[in-house]
Amino acid sequence: MSRKDHTQLFSSSRRLPTPSRYILQFFILLIPIFIAYYGVFFHPLTHFMGTNQDPSQFMWYIANFWWSILHGNNPFISDQFAYPAGINLGLNTSIFTDAIIFGPIALIWSPVLAYNVAYICSLLLIGAAMTWLLVQLKQPRVIALLGGVLAEISPFVTNQSVDGHINFITALGFGLLATGFIWKSIAKAERMSVLDAVMIGVLTAGVFYASLEEALIFVGFLILAGAMLAMISRKYSEAIRGYLRYPFPWLSVAIFLLLASPELFYYCKGSSGHVPVFPPGLFYTDLANSIIPTSAQLVHVPAWENVVSRFSGGLSETDGYIGIIMILVITIFWRRQNRTARRMMSGWLVLAAFFYLASMGDVLHIWGYRLDSLHLPWKLFGQLPVLDNILPDRLDVVPDMILIVVTMSILAQATSQRINLSRILRGAMAFLLVLSWFPNVNFAVKTFPASFAAFNAQETLLKQLRGSTAFVLTWDYWTFGNYMALFADKDIKLTNVYGFPYTKYNEYTNLSVKHYLRLTSIAMLNHLDKAGIETVLEAMHAGFDEHYILYFPDDPAPLSGSLSSVLSHLYGPPKSYGGIEVWTVK
């Protein structure tokens, strides 16, 4: 096959849209985001996407990168938590991609605003990148734009947004854009420019720095997709081989490795002898979730909640929904494609099914029941080195994107003689697809508690804490994550031990008993008598000349009378700053 034939195989003769069309497309992609998360648009400084402690942690990560550089510190390690031992951010979901791009907003205005801007831009990037990818696949621009909207509201994106997982949202946007460049480059391998190669390397590094999980999934998808195309079509096989014979793909690999080397260094440095934080059977896809939406979707009804509540991982990790509408569209119209299109579509559907099967975890789960006798491939794959960083349900991102591409291909061919749907039926099909996936409006928007604003307004307290060490007394280990954003741009060392799920716990269990006691929480202390509480607190704060204990009134657990009295007995009565209680430990 000639090089010219390769180009014709992938190219599109459609002219580029005018600037006005770009603006129109931008607003079309913005509309579903605005509807789904309108609270953030109206209150970008106090409201944010996500309902648990994860967004506050991400705000700290976004602000920390440039704050560390401006203060002469290494952005890949930090002693602002688990002081003085510190934490290795190379083993955390530190979203360096978002931090590099949006970190200045956090330092100039607010970490909350930076996080919200980053989230909205990442959602827009997903829509725009999917639109562009579908255009590269020679789909009409209206159909491509519909695909972009579906990508923004896909179940993976919607459910991961329940807990504000911006790492996956950003990684998906960069991954889709990189896929578009790779497809375009294969099409014109003999005319591929250095700029194309650089863009692929930079975008892949962006995926990696946003999420190690998504980077592994992205690379796995590229390898398996390439193998699938090579097997089902000689033309694609020759096109891919022709692409790999040129130096530019290897330039992309070299650029990626160069850009990723700092993170790789700190990841490898901190992962020696690590034990997986999560077993392979945690956070899996239940087969019933393929047709039953969660409360994160607009079409969810309370009658289904009894089944949904038995799925694993809560809303954010229950992202295997496909929907009856999409399943019916693909099932009905698959056989009505011509032989070549049906063969290609079958290849993509098999690949989607493979990733969906892997997302089910180590054994099959259906209707909330675990069938231990039916072992699945992830029982093996999930225990392999590096792959143990992937939680199986997060593989659902691949089926979502593939099904969008397949469905848009069906819609694009709906005017052919084989299908020949009227404009009304095509419009109805598009409407039902969007409706079946549309998020429950404003479901994932949360407001910062009043005490957070009060903390930032306490100039006397902040001046007192600057350059010192402190411990935030919270209900449990995870609750502390809610307070991380407050310390994003402040020179305060916290002895609280904390790290995102991918911080290996052996970092902490290897610490001395004194450091390990900084896992102390209200829940832990409530189980002790007064003598036990005194012993723990004295051991925890030994070795510091002056130290502070902070308690925020918005914490889900009020201080018990015995705990409060012990604190006052040891350190004197607390001072109150806007409702925030502070004990001085000397």
Side-chain angles (χ1 to χ4, degrees):
M1 184 176 181
S2 68
R3 302 291 185 211
K4 183 177 180 180
D5 290 331
H6 291 167
T7 302
Q8 291 174 346
L9 183 64
F10 294 87
S11 64
S12 171
S13 60
R14 309 184 195 284
R15 61 190 179 87
L16 289 175
T18 62
S20 61
R21 287 177 182 166
Y22 277 126
I23 295 172
L24 178 61
Q25 290 176 8
F26 169 80
F27 281 105
I28 290 174
L29 292 174
L30 184 63
I31 287 171
I33 300 172
F34 176 80
I35 295 174
Y37 312 99
Y38 67 85
V40 169
F41 284 82
F42 290 117
H43 308 282
L45 295 175
T46 57
H47 292 52
F48 56 89
M49 297 178 185
T51 57
N52 68 352
Q53 73 279 356
D54 295 359
S56 180
Q57 302 166 65
F58 285 129
M59 293 172 198
W60 184 86
Y61 289 133
I62 288 174
N64 178 70
F65 183 86
W66 289 111
W67 187 90
S68 296
I69 290 177
L70 291 174
H71 287 77
N73 300 327
N74 185 342
F76 291 94
I77 57 175
S78 175
D79 61 358
Q80 280 198 276
F81 301 106
Y83 183 83
I87 55 177
N88 179 351
L89 296 179
L91 287 176
N92 279 245
T93 308
S94 301
I95 56 170
F96 289 113
T97 301
D98 295 280
I100 291 169
I101 299 171
F102 301 101
I105 298 176
L107 301 183
I108 296 172
W109 283 284
S110 134
V112 183
L113 179 63
Y115 170 82
N116 285 330
V117 171
Y119 216 110
I120 292 169
C121 288
S122 294
L123 288 170
L124 282 169
L125 178 60
I126 289 174
M130 175 58 83
T131 300
W132 184 62
L133 175 59
L134 287 167
V135 170
Q136 299 301 313
L137 296 172
K138 299 191 286 187
Q139 304 300 352
R141 293 191 181 277
V142 173
I143 297 296
L145 192 58
L146 174 62
V149 170
L150 286 172
E152 291 177 341
I153 62 172
S154 61
F156 177 84
V157 170
T158 296
N159 285 74
Q160 291 296 336
S161 294
V162 171
D163 286 345
H165 291 166
I166 190 174
N167 51 328
F168 300 135
I169 308 305
T170 301
L172 176 56
F174 274 74
L176 286 171
L177 201 55
T179 303
F181 271 98
I182 292 170
W183 190 270
K184 174 186 172 185
S185 299
I186 293 174
K188 58 168 192 175
E190 75 282 2
R191 294 183 287 110
M192 181 180 177
S193 67
V194 173
L195 180 60
D196 290 331
V198 170
M199 286 300 299
I200 293 170
V202 170
L203 291 169
T204 305
V207 176
F208 175 74
Y209 275 110
S211 168
L212 172 61
E213 270 185 288
E214 290 301 300
L216 293 171
I217 294 170
F218 176 63
V219 172
F221 163 74
L222 290 180
I223 293 171
L224 293 177
M228 181 272 294
L229 288 171
M231 285 190 293
I232 67 174
S233 170
R234 181 180 177 184
K235 293 181 179 180
Y236 284 103
S237 176
E238 292 181 6
I240 293 171
R241 285 202 302 267
Y243 169 66
L244 295 176
R245 280 196 293 267
Y246 283 89
F248 293 116
W250 310 110
L251 175 61
S252 299
V253 173
I255 291 172
F256 164 75
L257 291 175
L258 177 65
L259 293 175
S261 57
E263 165 72 2
L264 288 170
F265 172 79
Y266 283 100
Y267 176 83
C268 295
K269 180 180 179 181
S271 2
S272 57
H274 87 264
V275 177
V277 176
F278 294 124
L282 189 67
F283 295 170
Y284 52 80
T285 296
D286 190 295
L287 184 59
N289 189 205
S290 63
I291 58 172
I292 299 179
T294 68
S295 57
Q297 277 75 41
L298 188 63
V299 295
H300 175 79
V301 295
W304 297 331
E305 193 56 39
N306 184 46
V307 175
V308 173
S309 64
R310 296 201 295 266
F311 298 162
S312 77
L315 281 181
S316 67
E317 304 297 346
T318 307
D319 47 21
Y321 176 62
I322 297 172
I324 294 176
I325 300 298
M326 180 163 284
I327 293 173
L328 286 176
V329 168
I330 294 173
T331 303
I332 292 171
F333 295 106
W334 171 77
R335 293 189 61 84
R336 301 175 71 174
Q337 308 293 312
N338 62 53
R339 183 176 181 180
T340 302
R342 189 164 63 243
R343 181 178 174 84
M344 177 62 65
M345 199 174 290
S346 298
W348 286 116
L349 291 176
V350 168
L351 188 59
F354 173 82
F355 276 92
Y356 198 84
L357 182 66
S359 77
M360 294 182 186
D362 54 350
V363 298
L364 181 66
H365 300 79
I366 183 167
W367 299 103
Y369 297 102
R370 177 184 173 93
L371 305 181
D372 289 313
S373 60
L374 294 176
H375 297 286
L376 299 177
W378 197 253
K379 189 174 184 67
L380 171 62
F381 296 150
Q383 300 182 54
L384 296 176
V386 182
L387 290 183
D388 61 7
N389 285 277
I390 300 175
L391 293 179
D393 77 285
R394 294 170 180 176
L395 294 162
D396 285 323
V397 63
V398 176
D400 278 4
M401 298 305 113
I402 290 178
L403 293 179
I404 290 171
V405 172
V406 170
T407 309
M408 294 306 99
S409 176
I410 288 173
L411 278 176
Q413 297 180 46
T415 55
S416 68
Q417 290 184 349
R418 281 180 174 268
I419 301 179
N420 195 23
L421 291 182
S422 68
R423 182 174 296 180
I424 294 177
L425 287 177
R426 281 181 285 145
M429 189 187 301
F431 172 77
L432 290 174
L433 286 169
V434 172
L435 179 64
S436 67
W437 274 15
F438 205 83
N440 205 344
V441 177
N442 219 37
F443 73 102
V445 175
K446 183 179 178 181
T447 307
F448 262 126
S451 65
F452 284 28
F455 179 76
N456 286 317
Q458 301 299 319
E459 295 183 5
T460 303
L461 175 60
L462 294 176
K463 184 177 180 180
Q464 182 180 356
L465 293 176
R466 190 174 296 119
S468 65
T469 60
F471 178 82
V472 180
L473 187 59
T474 63
W475 169 243
D476 59 14
Y477 168 86
W478 298 105
T479 306
F480 171 70
N482 290 314
Y483 301 94
M484 285 180 66
L486 291 177
F487 303 92
D489 53 354
K490 300 175 179 66
D491 185 19
I492 302 171
K493 310 292 187 184
L494 297 178
T495 58
N496 294 76
V497 169
Y498 198 80
F500 222 61
Y502 296 116
T503 293
K504 313 305 179 189
Y505 288 151
N506 70 307
E507 282 190 68
Y508 302 147
T509 55
N510 289 336
L511 299 176
S512 66
V513 173
K514 181 180 73 174
H515 294 151
Y516 187 69
L517 284 171
R518 287 166 197 166
L519 287 168
T520 298
S521 63
I522 295 173
M524 171 184 171
L525 295 174
N526 280 348
H527 291 288
L528 304 177
D529 57 19
K530 288 188 176 182
I533 293 173
E534 288 188 16
T535 300
V536 170
L537 291 176
E538 288 178 344
M540 187 170 65
H541 302 297
F544 294 100
D545 295 332
E546 189 169 64
H547 189 65
Y548 300 93
I549 299 176
L550 282 67
Y551 173 77
F552 289 82
D554 302 298
D555 194 88
L559 287 176
S560 64
S562 59
L563 178 54
S564 181
S565 64
V566 170
L567 286 167
S568 297
H569 170 71
L570 290 174
Y571 311 120
K575 293 183 178 180
S576 182
Y577 299 85
I580 303 163
E581 295 184 344
V582 180
W583 288 267
T584 302
V585 181
K586 295 185 178 179

